[in-house]
Amino acid sequence: QPATPPPAVQGSGGARVAVQWAYRELGKPYQWGAAGPNSFDCSGLTMWAWGKAGVSLPHSSSAQYSSGRHVSRGDIEPGDLVFFGSPIHHVGLYIGGGQMIDAPHSGDVVKIQDAFRSDYAGAVRP
């Protein structure tokens, strides 16, 4: 499928850079433990995207949950990390409009999904 150019990315500074990089990775395969550039797992994708903005994140969704300022659901902005599960087991990059870019699971690809599914656990601004 042809690459879709990212929409006008909202957010400022590093968040804008992280979101732009996440869009570039759409369609790449999920691979457990992978952190780019050819495949990703969930925390590898967020680590890669924020790394392009000069922000270092650990390669673990639960560790990323402790790597920034927690923001309420009403204050989430593009670039924020959104977390799922109890205990935390998944992370995505919020892109606005109730959506995130994430690397879901084996057999899938990096894609845009609903950011506020039933196991939503919280958000962090790196």
Side-chain angles (χ1 to χ4, degrees), residues 24-126:
R24 290 185 176 108
E25 310 313 325
L26 288 171
K28 290 191 177 176
Y30 176 96
Q31 181 179 336
W32 190 86
N38 300 314
S39 58
F40 296 92
D41 67 9
C42 66
S43 60
L45 176 66
T46 53
M47 183 177 82
W48 170 267
W50 269 102
K52 295 298 184 181
V55 175
S56 178
L57 292 172
H59 193 173
S60 155
S61 56
S62 59
Q64 288 182 9
Y65 190 67
S66 302
S67 297
R69 182 168 63 86
H70 288 257
V71 292
S72 69
R73 183 168 164 166
D75 291 330
I76 294 176
E77 296 177 359
D80 290 346
L81 304 176
V82 285
F83 294 89
F84 305 90
S86 180
I88 300 293
H89 65 265
H90 188 66
V91 61
L93 186 74
Y94 190 71
I95 59 172
Q99 296 187 307
M100 67 176 171
I101 294 177
D102 72 328
H105 51 75
S106 294
D108 211 335
V109 297
V110 175
K111 63 185 179 183
I112 296 172
Q113 297 197 100
D114 180 7
F116 300 116
R117 58 192 210 197
S118 63
D119 62 342
Y120 173 81
V124 166
R125 185 162 301 148

